Amino acid sequence: MTPLAEDPQPREVLRLARDHEAQEMRRYRRLAFRFLPFGQGLSRLMASLGIACEHRRQACEAAGGRLGLSLPLEAERARQVVTLPGVASGCLILGQGHALAVLKRTRAAAEQSRRFSRYCLDSRLLPALSPLWRDLASQKAAECRLLDELMAAYAGTSPLPPATSVRPRRAWSAAGRPLAP
């Protein structure tokens, strides 16, 4: 057993990062469902952010395996439903004002997540995982920028209209040719 594997602190920090990403993944998946009636593009974007969280969760587990750290099962607390403050968890988003309010709360939660990942990087809690912390911090910063752009687009402060509006679907034949509308 390596000295790193005997120290409980690296294992706990890695477990916290993994559980945090799992919690974020579930939150984005719920948001994807909630945004579905408002705009399919925005719903897909939230689902994509959830998939990115899943990849980061798997990266944490893989890093633990490479270092010989066996991570305990995901904490029960992380499996609980997490909702944004002031918003019912099953409430579908139907209007632009509601969408903007939820995006603002989502951005605040993403900022907390960015700070956590930045803390892991800056504190050098586990130097062997510096590349992982650096990747987590840069991806969380990009997530915050993306949410900022979305908020600007839906608040009307961006010169471009939201790219996530609902567009009519075009039917395709089995041969891959578009069918007439």
Side-chain angles (χ1 to χ4, degrees), residues 7 18 26 31 49 51 65 73 79 81 87 92 98 101 104 124 128 148-150 177 181:
D7 184 8
R18 185 218 38 210
R26 285 187 289 278
L31 284 170
L49 290 174
I51 291 169
L73 295 176
R79 292 185 196 160
V81 174
V87 177
L92 296 177
H98 190 197
K104 285 180 181 180
R124 304 193 194 291
D148 284 339
E149 290 173 13
L150 278 173
R177 293 187 186 98

Side-chain angles (χ1 to χ4, degrees), residues 4 6 9 13 18 26 39 49 52-53 73 79 95 104-105 113 115 117 124 127 134-135 153 161 165 168 179-180:
L4 186 60
E6 294 171 4
Q9 184 184 11
V13 171
R18 185 218 38 210
R26 285 187 289 278
L49 290 174
C53 292
L73 295 176
R79 292 185 196 160
K104 285 180 181 180
R105 290 185 190 104
S113 184
R115 286 181 184 175
S117 61
R124 304 193 194 291
R134 199 172 7 268
D135 287 345
S165 61
L179 297 174

Side-chain angles (χ1 to χ4, degrees), residues 31-122:
L31 284 170
F33 174 74
R34 291 182 60 208
F35 273 108
L36 197 53
F38 178 71
Q40 290 179 354
L42 192 51
S43 176
R44 281 191 291 259
L45 180 66
M46 292 299 156
S48 296
L49 290 174
I51 291 169
C53 292
E54 172 68 14
H55 290 299
R56 288 190 293 267
R57 185 188 67 79
Q58 290 171 349
C60 289
E61 288 179 351
R66 282 191 306 273
L67 294 175
L69 301 172
S70 61
L71 297 177
L73 295 176
E74 192 176 324
E76 184 64 34
R77 181 177 53 93
R79 292 185 196 160
Q80 295 172 354
V81 174
V82 177
T83 60
L84 296 172
V87 177
S89 64
C91 181
L92 296 177
I93 298 162
L94 301 172
Q96 187 168 345
H98 190 197
L100 185 58
V102 171
L103 283 173
K104 285 180 181 180
R105 290 185 190 104
T106 301
R107 172 57 172 91
E111 177 62 23
Q112 288 178 343
S113 184
R114 186 197 64 78
R115 286 181 184 175
F116 172 72
S117 61
R118 190 68 199 181
Y119 171 76
C120 289
L121 176 63
D122 290 345

